[in-house]
Amino acid sequence: MDDNWIVENLENALATWNEKLAEIWQLVSMTPQEFKGGGIWNIVVQINGALQAIGYGLLVLFFAMGLFKNTVNFQELRRPEAALRYFLHFVAAKAAVTYCMPLMLAVFDICGGIVSTVAGQMGGMAGNVGTLPGEISAAIGNVGFLASLPLWLVTILGSLFITVLSFILIMTVYSRFFKLYIYTALAPVPIAAFGSGETAATGKAFLKGYVGVCLEGAVIVLSCLIFPHIWQRVAAVPSGSAVSMVWTYVAEMIFNMLVLVGLVKARTASCGK
């Protein structure tokens, strides 16, 4: 790394950004069982199992409510087709509560396959990082002490923004895992809503939200894969004095990083709805 403090400061900020991008790829390609050694997942499994009993109770309650509301009298249940329809509905809802954990994992695996396909088609995220152009490093090295004072301010502010944005980006990815854990842990309760046609909308909304959270990984990967192509435009070294070059380069770099972070946060928020 260059001995010039200004260059070191910028390179350290870019190194932090590159490190977080690499960590993002590791996280989105990781299963909930592997995250943090699986300790959190074991707790989620225990909560899910404990809530199954509550899910069964709610299932019976919702089914009875739907049965009494849609059946004016029990004469309808004497018809074999009507009784069979209610019976199959109850069995299907009970199976959903019983096997909610495999159901949730199957949805996650499908969405994980989408993430892997997207990354595989674009060559993965390895090497998609930013580096400080040699022209700018050379220009900074030729600047005198007094002329370097504005550069110190620019690089300090730029490095601070880059570091903050990189942590915001990684926190967005981490929050996806915790949303996955919350959905999986509480799954038996909202899925029990399928016991009645009147409450089934709650179960559908829950599954829709869970699929959205799973697909957040694809949104994050695609956004990070598109970013290097935007970065190529940033990498074009501007002309002018050293101060002008650094200011223009840092400003455009931060702007494009803001676009990436904003896109990831906005799209992940919309996927979860």
Side-chain angles (χ1 to χ4, degrees):
M1 184 175 291
D2 197 308
D3 292 334
N4 189 296
W5 181 86
I6 298 174
V7 175
E8 288 184 1
N9 199 28
L10 285 174
E11 289 182 343
N12 286 335
L14 288 174
T16 301
W17 176 265
N18 298 338
E19 178 186 342
K20 298 307 175 186
L21 282 183
E23 188 176 351
I24 285 173
W25 172 239
Q26 292 178 352
L27 289 173
V28 296
S29 59
M30 187 180 296
T31 64
Q33 299 95 317
E34 298 170 340
F35 184 68
K36 296 299 181 181
I40 304 176
W41 178 254
N42 293 333
I43 298 175
V44 169
V45 172
Q46 294 175 8
I47 296 174
N48 181 281
L51 290 180
Q52 272 196 344
I54 298 176
Y56 288 138
L58 291 174
L59 172 64
V60 174
L61 176 62
F62 292 147
F63 179 77
M65 289 171 55
L67 182 65
F68 288 126
K69 183 175 181 179
N70 296 320
T71 306
V72 179
N73 55 60
F74 289 99
Q75 295 296 327
E76 180 183 355
L77 295 179
R78 293 184 178 181
R79 295 187 292 113
E81 62 275 14
L84 180 61
R85 176 166 56 87
Y86 281 110
F87 174 76
L88 292 178
H89 182 97
F90 180 79
V91 170
K94 181 180 181 300
V97 174
T98 302
Y99 300 103
C100 64
M101 180 66 77
L103 174 65
M104 305 290 278
L105 291 177
V107 173
F108 179 84
D109 289 340
I110 294 173
C111 295
I114 296 175
V115 173
S116 300
T117 301
V118 170
Q121 289 295 320
M122 302 187 71
M125 291 176 62
N128 292 333
V129 294
T131 56
L132 187 66
E135 295 89 337
I136 291 182
S137 299
I140 294 174
N142 295 328
V143 173
F145 176 76
L146 292 179
S148 67
L149 293 179
L151 290 178
W152 289 4
L153 178 61
V154 171
T155 53
I156 289 174
L157 294 177
S159 300
L160 178 62
F161 271 106
I162 294 171
T163 303
V164 170
L165 290 175
S166 64
F167 277 97
I168 292 176
L169 193 62
I170 198 66
M171 286 174 62
T172 303
V173 180
Y174 268 94
S175 66
R176 170 178 174 262
F177 267 104
F178 287 100
K179 286 188 285 186
L180 287 172
Y181 288 139
I182 292 172
Y183 270 95
T184 306
L186 301 178
V189 175
I191 288 181
F194 284 108
S196 171
E198 284 69 28
T199 58
T202 301
K204 293 177 182 178
F206 171 79
L207 292 179
K208 179 181 176 181
Y210 178 72
V211 171
V213 173
C214 291
L215 286 176
E216 286 180 7
V219 174
I220 294 169
V221 169
L222 187 58
S223 300
C224 292
L225 289 172
I226 293 174
F227 178 75
H229 299 282
I230 302 176
W231 186 276
Q232 291 175 0
R233 178 174 174 267
V234 184
V237 180
S239 59
S241 64
V243 176
S244 176
M245 290 172 61
V246 174
W247 175 257
T248 304
Y249 181 82
V250 171
E252 192 168 2
M253 179 172 55
I254 291 176
F255 173 78
N256 284 280
M257 289 178 176
L258 278 170
V259 171
L260 174 61
V261 174
L263 176 64
V264 169
K265 290 188 70 65
R267 290 297 91 196
T268 53
S270 63
C271 281
K273 293 182 179 179

